[in-house]
């Protein structure tokens, strides 16, 4: 056993946050704490990390075990650089390394037996600490958390809030404590970083205690789930789907037990009232004792917690073409974010916009909405477009006004209608009269969503709408978006939400070659984890979508500034005209593929001829590497050609 938590209680004034919280954790166990916002999850984590003191109860950690804690807010020291903050996790190894460097200088200048012996001892200790591996790990982890090598000497005080969280997470990963406590670790992480973190945590040798509302993250990580509700904790085995099923079954069972007890109590109460002070008084008193005992032990039926609800469906139809972006280029200083982007959004489509942090997702949205000028290119809306925009930094809200004032004055609502709408988004009581700037992040997001419900736009543009929302609210938002009849553009790092509500994907990549995919993120992720490029014939490029199960190669003409389209395999909904257009496109693509294959085969033949008669001073290793690369590229080209010809035959049958 690594951690034992016994009967913890914590109250703030009359509000009891924790009431008898008890659980255990074993070494290497991955446990997730789930529950709605405000149920005390962060309070519990702070008690475990000795930042808060419980009113009663005890926390016991195995002797010698260490705890690492990732906070949601103010997670790092701002006085140093990115490298210095990360190196705090490796202080002992770094101290030993510096001593090694000092001894190396002395041995070069004036060697002595004593210093040579010390150097040998210190170097052995450095090897025991795996110091060389630690240096590599530092660079690898920082890179995975989104920091480039040139960012390592950047002052920590100059980092954004998201960058500070990612740096704190990198430091905790490098420390490798026995118990790693993570509070919302995927906040501010892009999809690639979140997936890398999942893989790292699965193989982490220590125990992990996670608070998260990221459903995909929990589905992939949680061995066991602790649900914090009404101040108490209940433990359920994982995985996530099993936890949800067991909890639902338990709620049904408890509701049935409570119903039977209510019926039994009603019969006992009727008997007592009927026969008390009669010839059967003794029996009535016996039944009354039994009734009181049963009432004291009564099971409380689970109550259905009120959730977010709203109807986003538009009242007005838009034109068939909703957004048309032509040759959009945007730079941030000297860095090009987007270059010559062509993108069309049609009525009813549901686009998920994904990409690493810093690839320009929010910038693209602002350009489309006219909130920022592009360096070049145009972006136009179609006919009858009514836009509803959700900004991730709440810039569309008046922070000085209260929620009810905002809806009344900005959305032309009556006070009662505004209050009813706010109630649907769980903003109730005196909270409706508080300045918006005093609301939590989740409450601000719910106010923005309430505004969109009132607007009923036929184009929804949402930029990270799930930030600060708990899991129940995310599921409610997904339900609202599923029933939405308009056009959707969703920027999000929430993989589960992207899989649930989108049917097209726009991937903005750091290499300047965006990908448009006719399918949601789950299908896109299934077709390939990452896109690799290698040079082909006649200036073409191979875009290889790699996954653990399959490799699919797609040949595309080399247009690095333009959008490449990766077609979905589902063509059952194509119209006859679209089938004809797709056949023409595939016929041309197959001809281009055959040309590239022929050129690659010629290149391989030349290389094999050179390898058979190697010149005296030729670089045989380099020639072998080129030969292997060309063979691999040919396999990819052949695979793509076979897939294209198969698809062409299918379409001709449809025609």
């Amino acid at each position: 056993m690594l951690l034992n938590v016994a009967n913890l209680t914590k109250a703030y004034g009359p509000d009891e946050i924790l009431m008898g919280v008890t659980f255990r954790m074993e070494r290497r166990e991955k446990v997730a704490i789930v529950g709605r916002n405000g149920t005390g999850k962060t309070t519990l984590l702070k008690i475990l990390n000795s930042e808060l003191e419980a009113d009663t109860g005890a926390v016991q950690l195995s002797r010698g075990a260490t705890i690492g804690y990732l906070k949601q807010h103010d997670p790092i020291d701002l006085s140093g650089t990115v490298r210095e903050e990360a190196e705090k996790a490796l202080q002992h190894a770094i101290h030993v390394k510096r001593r090694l460097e000092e001894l190396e200088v002395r041995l070069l200048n004036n060697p002595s037996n004593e210093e040579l012996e010390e150097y040998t001892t210190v170097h052995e200790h450095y090897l025991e600490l795996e110091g060389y591996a630690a240096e590599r790990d530092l660079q690898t982890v920082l890179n995975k958390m989104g920091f480039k090598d040139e960012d390592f000497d950047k002052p920590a005080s100059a980092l954004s809030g998201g960058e500070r969280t990612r740096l704190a997470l990198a430091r905790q990963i490098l420390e490798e404590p026995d118990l790693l406590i993570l509070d919302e670790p995927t906040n501010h992480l892009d999809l690639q970083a979140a997936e890398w973190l999942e893989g790292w945590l699965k193989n982490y040798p220590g125990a992990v205690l996670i608070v998260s509302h990221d459903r995909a993250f929990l589905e992939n990580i949680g061995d066991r789930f602790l649900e914090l509700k009404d101040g108490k904790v209940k433990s359920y085995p994982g995985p996530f789907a099993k936890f949800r099923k067991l909890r639902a079954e338990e709620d049904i069972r408890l509701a049935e037990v409570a119903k039977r007890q209510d019926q039994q109590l009603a019969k006992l109460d009727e008997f007592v009232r009927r026969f008390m002070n009669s010839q059967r008084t003794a029996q009535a008193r016996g039944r009354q004792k039994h009734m009181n005992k049963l009432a004291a032990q009564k099971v409380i039926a689970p109550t259905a917690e009120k959730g977010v609800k709203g109807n986003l469906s538009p009242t007005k139809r838009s034109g068939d073409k909703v957004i048309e972006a032509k040759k959009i280029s945007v730079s941030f200083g000297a860095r090009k974010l987007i270059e010559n982007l062509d993108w069309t959004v049609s009525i009813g489509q549901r686009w998920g916009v994904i990409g690493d942090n810093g690839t320009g997702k929010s910038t693209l949205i602002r350009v489309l909405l006219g909130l920022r000028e592009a360096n070049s290119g145009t972006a136009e809306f179609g006919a009858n477009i009514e836009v509803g925009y959700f900004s991730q930094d709440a810039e569309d809200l008046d922070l000085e006004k209260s929620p009810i004032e905002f809806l009344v004055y900005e959305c032309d609502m009556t006070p009662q209608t505004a209050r009813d709408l706010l109630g649907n988004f769980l903003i109730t009581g005196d909270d409706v009269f508080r300045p918006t700037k005093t609301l939590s992040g989740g409450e601000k997001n719910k106010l923005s969503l309430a505004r969109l419900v009132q607007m009923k736009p036929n184009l929804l543009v949402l930029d990270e709408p799930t930030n600060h929302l708990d899991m129940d609210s995310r599921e409610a938002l997904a339900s609202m978006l599923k029933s939405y009849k308009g056009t959707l553009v969703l920027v999000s790092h929430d993989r589960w939400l992207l899989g649930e509500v989108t049917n097209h994907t726009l991937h903005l990549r750091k290499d300047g070659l965006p990908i448009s995919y006719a399918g949601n993120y789950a299908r896109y992720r299934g077709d390939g984890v990452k896109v690799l490029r290698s040079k082909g014939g006649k200036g073409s490029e191979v875009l290889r979508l790699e996954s653990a199960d399959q490799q699919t190669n797609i040949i595309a003409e080399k247009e690095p500034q333009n959008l490449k389209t990766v077609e979905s395999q589902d063509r059952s909904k194509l119209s006859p005209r679209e089938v004809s257009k797709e056949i023409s496109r595939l016929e041309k693509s197959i001809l281009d593929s055959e040309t590239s294959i022929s050129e690659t085969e010629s290149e391989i033949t030349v290389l094999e001829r050179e390898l058979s008669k190697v010149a005296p001073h030729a670089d045989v290793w380099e020639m072998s590497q080129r030969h292997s690369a060309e063979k691999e590229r040919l396999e990819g080209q052949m695979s793509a050609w076979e897939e294209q010809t198969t698809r062409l035959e299918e379409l001709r049958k449809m025609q």
Side-chain angles (χ1 to χ4, degrees):
M1 183 188 69
L2 176 66
L3 177 70
N4 183 36
V5 178
N7 200 34
L8 288 186
T9 65
K10 182 66 179 178
Y12 294 102
D15 298 325
E16 291 185 284
I17 306 300
L18 304 178
M19 296 183 287
V21 169
T22 299
F23 65 93
R24 291 185 175 189
M25 279 189 68
E26 304 297 331
R27 295 182 183 274
R28 299 182 65 89
E29 194 176 16
K30 310 299 186 289
V31 178
I33 301 178
V34 296
R36 285 196 165 192
N37 289 336
T39 55
K41 299 185 296 296
T42 298
T43 297
L44 175 58
L45 296 189
K46 288 181 177 180
I47 291 174
L48 299 181
N49 196 49
S50 302
E51 290 190 10
L52 277 179
E53 187 175 344
D55 297 334
T56 63
V59 176
Q60 294 179 323
L61 190 67
S62 294
R63 179 173 296 181
T66 56
I67 292 180
Y69 176 38
L70 175 69
K71 306 176 185 177
Q72 278 196 63
H73 307 289
D74 302 322
I76 62 170
D77 181 0
L78 303 180
S79 61
T81 65
V82 170
R83 183 191 298 276
E84 289 169 347
E85 183 66 16
E87 284 179 343
K88 289 180 179 178
L90 309 170
Q91 284 183 341
H92 184 48
I94 290 171
H95 177 74
V96 174
K97 181 186 176 184
R98 287 173 181 165
R99 181 56 182 163
L100 273 178
E101 291 171 348
E102 292 174 2
L103 290 169
E104 286 172 356
V105 172
R106 292 186 183 181
L107 289 172
L108 285 173
N109 296 330
N110 188 20
S112 67
N113 291 334
E114 293 81 2
E115 289 173 336
L116 183 59
E117 290 177 2
E118 183 183 357
Y119 180 85
T120 302
T121 302
V122 173
H123 189 261
E124 289 176 354
H125 182 44
Y126 191 63
L127 292 176
E128 290 173 358
L129 293 172
E130 298 182 343
Y132 294 111
E135 292 180 47
R136 292 193 300 271
D137 288 347
L138 186 143
Q139 181 172 352
T140 299
V141 171
L142 285 176
N143 290 157
K144 291 296 184 182
M145 288 295 103
F147 295 99
K148 300 178 181 178
D149 292 355
E150 54 266 31
D151 295 330
F152 289 4
D153 295 323
K154 186 177 181 179
S157 57
L159 300 178
S160 67
E163 289 172 328
R164 293 176 186 181
T165 299
R166 286 187 275 123
L167 178 55
L169 181 56
R171 190 186 65 201
Q172 294 298 340
I173 289 172
L174 290 166
E175 284 181 358
E176 293 193 353
D178 298 292
L179 173 59
L180 181 58
I181 299 177
L182 304 176
D183 195 356
E184 295 292 355
T186 58
N187 280 359
H188 310 294
L189 293 186
D190 55 39
L191 294 171
Q192 183 179 3
E195 289 172 351
W196 177 85
L197 179 61
E198 282 177 5
W200 185 86
L201 289 175
K202 286 178 183 177
N203 299 315
Y204 183 58
V208 182
L209 184 62
I210 309 163
V211 167
S212 179
H213 297 299
D214 186 331
R215 180 162 174 167
F217 188 75
L218 294 177
E219 286 174 344
N220 292 325
I221 293 298
D223 296 331
R224 184 160 61 95
F225 292 84
L226 300 175
E227 184 179 36
L228 187 54
K229 183 178 179 181
D230 298 327
K232 298 181 180 180
V233 156
K234 285 187 178 180
S235 177
Y236 299 88
F240 185 80
K242 183 177 182 180
F243 148 63
R244 294 290 291 260
K245 180 182 178 182
L246 290 175
R247 188 184 66 176
E249 291 173 349
E250 182 180 35
D251 286 347
I252 293 172
R253 181 180 59 80
L254 291 176
E256 184 61 32
V257 171
K259 180 181 178 181
R260 290 199 302 268
Q261 287 183 338
D262 286 337
Q263 293 171 346
Q264 188 176 2
L265 285 169
K267 290 180 181 179
L268 290 171
D269 182 61
E270 181 184 2
F271 187 93
V272 170
R273 286 188 290 105
R274 182 177 180 182
F275 294 108
M276 187 66 75
N277 300 321
S278 69
Q279 292 181 349
R280 304 177 67 178
T281 297
Q283 289 179 302
R285 287 176 177 170
R287 300 286 177 88
Q288 187 176 43
K289 288 181 180 179
H290 181 53
M291 182 178 69
N292 292 338
K293 184 177 180 181
L294 182 62
Q297 300 173 348
K298 186 179 182 305
V299 171
I300 305 299
T303 56
E305 294 181 314
K306 187 177 180 182
V308 171
K309 59 182 179 180
N311 180 11
L312 288 163
S313 292
T315 56
K316 183 179 179 181
R317 187 188 187 279
S318 71
D320 290 340
K321 184 177 290 184
V322 179
I323 300 174
E324 185 172 27
K326 295 182 178 179
K327 306 300 180 186
I328 293 290
S329 294
V330 182
S331 298
F332 185 78
R335 185 162 63 93
K336 292 182 179 179
L337 290 177
I338 304 167
E339 188 170 5
N340 290 340
L341 172 65
D342 292 327
W343 183 38
T344 301
V345 177
S346 300
I347 186 172
Q349 290 183 337
R350 310 168 73 83
W351 283 87
V353 181
I354 65 172
D356 294 347
N357 290 330
T359 53
K361 301 184 298 296
S362 296
T363 301
L364 174 61
I365 296 302
R366 293 176 64 83
V367 168
L368 296 177
L369 296 175
L371 301 175
R372 172 174 175 160
E373 289 188 6
N375 294 74
S376 62
T378 60
E380 296 179 350
F381 289 123
N384 300 320
I385 302 299
E386 295 179 345
V387 183
Y389 173 46
F390 180 101
S391 170
Q392 64 171 305
D393 53 9
E395 66 177 15
D396 56 335
L397 301 179
D398 187 337
L399 300 182
E400 299 301 324
K401 285 188 173 70
S402 67
I404 196 167
E405 288 174 329
F406 176 75
L407 293 181
V408 167
Y409 293 109
E410 299 292 333
C411 303
D412 197 25
M413 299 178 69
T414 65
Q416 186 58 52
T417 305
R419 188 153 192 174
D420 291 342
L421 179 57
L422 290 170
N424 288 341
F425 284 85
L426 309 184
I427 303 175
T428 58
D430 293 337
D431 289 343
V432 303
F433 303 111
R434 291 167 48 196
T436 298
K437 63 184 179 183
T438 65
L439 299 179
S440 68
E443 289 169 328
K444 290 175 184 174
N445 279 11
K446 290 170 184 174
L447 176 56
S448 292
L449 292 173
R451 176 173 176 263
L452 295 179
V453 167
Q454 172 62 17
M455 291 175 61
K456 296 190 180 302
N458 52 32
L459 169 60
L460 268 180
V461 181
L462 308 181
D463 192 358
E464 297 292 355
T466 57
N467 282 353
H468 312 294
L469 294 184
D470 58 37
M471 197 179 303
D472 289 343
S473 296
R474 293 184 186 206
E475 291 180 356
L477 174 62
S479 178
M480 292 164 59
L481 293 178
K482 283 180 181 178
S483 61
Y484 177 61
K485 303 302 182 184
T487 305
L488 173 67
V489 175
L490 170 65
V491 178
S492 182
H493 291 144
D494 190 319
R495 291 161 289 168
W496 176 80
L497 182 66
L498 288 167
E500 288 288 306
V501 305
T502 65
N503 56 24
H504 287 70
T505 300
L506 177 65
H507 184 183
L508 299 183
R509 303 194 299 140
K510 290 182 178 179
D511 63 2
L513 188 65
I515 291 178
S516 170
Y517 179 79
N520 65 17
Y521 177 73
R523 293 183 63 183
Y524 177 58
R525 183 65 171 78
D527 280 350
V529 178
K530 60 181 180 178
V531 182
L532 302 176
R533 294 191 293 168
S534 58
K535 188 175 180 182
K538 281 192 175 179
S540 68
E541 288 189 345
V542 178
L543 304 185
R544 181 183 303 153
L545 302 182
E546 287 194 342
S547 70
D549 301 323
Q550 62 181 354
Q551 291 188 346
T552 306
N553 295 292
I554 300 158
I555 307 299
E557 288 301 315
K558 187 173 184 181
E559 299 170 349
Q561 291 84 22
N562 291 336
L563 195 65
K564 300 293 184 269
T565 302
V566 182
E567 294 294 335
S568 168
Q569 301 302 312
D570 182 10
R571 304 178 185 276
S572 59
K573 297 182 180 180
L574 292 179
S575 67
R577 182 170 176 270
E578 289 172 328
V579 169
S580 296
K581 289 177 64 178
E582 182 65 4
I583 288 174
S584 298
R585 189 190 71 80
L586 278 173
E587 287 174 343
K588 182 180 182 302
S589 180
I590 288 170
L591 286 174
D592 293 339
S593 296
E594 289 170 349
T595 301
S596 297
I597 289 169
S598 178
E599 292 174 350
T600 303
E601 288 175 336
S602 298
E603 180 67 17
I604 291 172
T605 301
V606 171
L607 284 169
E608 288 175 345
R609 189 181 302 121
E610 291 176 354
L611 284 167
S612 65
K613 297 179 181 180
V614 180
H617 302 290
D619 189 342
V620 179
W621 185 87
E622 191 273 341
M623 292 168 63
S624 300
Q625 291 295 304
R626 284 171 52 201
H627 182 263
S628 297
E630 291 298 321
K631 292 281 286 185
E632 181 181 355
R633 186 156 65 88
L634 179 61
E635 291 176 4
Q637 291 172 334
M638 292 298 298
S639 175
W641 178 84
E642 291 171 1
E643 180 183 330
Q644 289 169 339
T645 53
T646 301
R647 281 159 41 192
L648 181 60
E649 291 174 2
E650 293 173 354
L651 288 170
R652 283 173 173 166
K653 290 178 181 178
M654 290 174 60
Q655 191 179 40

